Amino acid sequence: MKTSFPYRSAMRLTCLGTALLALFWIVPPKADSQTTRAVQVTPDKEKRSLIRSVDGYAFLSEDMTLAETRAAAFANAKRQAVEMARTYIQSKTKVENFVIKSDKITASAEGAVTILEQKDHGVEDNTRYHVWIKAEVEYGMEPKGQGAKGHEMDADGPLTVKVWTSKKQYKDGDNINIFVQGNRNFYARIVNISSDGTIIQLLPNAYRKINFFEAGKIYKIPDQGDLFSLTVSPPYGEDQIVVYASQVPLGKVDMEEVGQGLSRYRGTRAAFAAKTRGIAVVGGAADTGSGAEFYEAAWKIRTGR
């Protein structure tokens, strides 16, 4: 979406009937029509990952320089992160209904791991090099056959949070409702990213501070407590409604108020996603069942005359 004040959006925000900001919006459908919608929703883009805290070590050797030993310690930490993630995912998912996609979790730690944070502890006891990383391991899940599609919303499955609207294309003057539902309790922030990259956080906001969502419950944006609505107006284009979700509270992101309780992030989408992933990890390296699941999904809509 694109807005005109103070940013560009394909929808217009209204407060108590007064047009104030340009954003997007959908005519609210009946609640009953949404109760089974989540299982049918296919996101335009999704990313599943597990964030782990891992210590890596490499023993000093006459055959390796200190720099090479340090690199070996980081490689050790990455390999551990991949193996721990694989163990965790297999223990937490309904393996009879899902397949872990091998192109996402690979034997190569270098290709599977993104380092979110790192600490270099250096040489310890004159015997080994010690490093620490907070690592994100991305993985893919796909249902086993057509009959397993609905199982992704089972409470025993991997964390899945569906975000959708009642249709994909809207005309000038249309109103838009956004719906969100997760298969398990989760923490989240929901943002709108316009075609020019502007990022507006819709939930939580200053008047509706909700950031914890209950499993199975359908949440609507806007809803009671919100002081804005979303109405299509020029300029038109493509917007993405993105949900960032985890089983633990998300990282802090500095935002700029733009009115009606909403806020804007002045930065790139990649930077916003990285800050959001600044979460606390449960457990330690020795606990193969520890970690924090993270889920990101995007839903695209287009607006025009």
Side-chain angles (χ1 to χ4, degrees), residues 51-57 70 73-74 76-78 80 115-122 124 129-135 279-281 283-285:
I51 297 178
R52 291 294 315 243
S53 177
V54 184
D55 289 283
Y57 300 93
R70 177 180 181 274
F74 276 108
N76 172 261
K78 290 179 180 181
Q80 288 187 74
I115 296 181
L116 303 177
E117 299 177 32
Q118 68 181 54
K119 293 179 183 178
D120 192 329
H121 294 292
E124 293 181 342
Y129 204 101
H130 178 199
V131 299
W132 171 91
I133 63 173
K134 181 188 287 185
I279 63 180
V281 178

Side-chain angles (χ1 to χ4, degrees), residues 129-160:
Y129 204 101
H130 178 199
V131 299
W132 171 91
I133 63 173
K134 181 188 287 185
E136 181 178 22
V137 182
E138 184 178 354
Y139 67 96
M141 299 293 295
E142 60 184 13
K144 287 184 178 179
Q146 296 180 347
K149 173 65 176 175
H151 288 291
E152 60 187 345
M153 293 303 288
D154 283 353
D156 294 330
L159 178 64
T160 301

Side-chain angles (χ1 to χ4, degrees), residues 172-231:
D172 187 84
D174 284 348
N175 288 329
I176 303 174
N177 284 329
I178 302 165
F179 299 91
V180 177
Q181 183 183 35
N183 66 327
R184 289 160 38 194
N185 292 343
F186 63 98
Y187 293 87
R189 58 173 50 107
I190 296 94
V191 303
N192 176 75
I193 303 178
S194 62
S195 57
D196 66 359
T198 299
I199 300 173
I200 301 297
Q201 183 166 302
L202 305 176
L203 271 184
N205 61 58
Y207 298 104
R208 191 176 168 204
K209 299 181 182 294
I210 178 173
N211 70 343
F212 178 78
F213 301 80
E214 296 178 14
K217 181 177 179 180
I218 296 178
Y219 295 83
K220 186 173 73 171
I221 310 171
D223 205 349
Q224 291 184 345
D226 292 324
L227 297 187
F228 64 90
S229 63
L230 303 168
T231 305

Side-chain angles (χ1 to χ4, degrees), residues 51 117 134 246 248-251 275-281 292-294:
I51 297 178
E117 299 177 32
K134 181 188 287 185
S246 181
V248 298
L250 304 179
K275 290 179 181 294
T276 295
R277 284 169 166 78
I279 63 180
V281 178
E293 287 186 73
F294 199 93

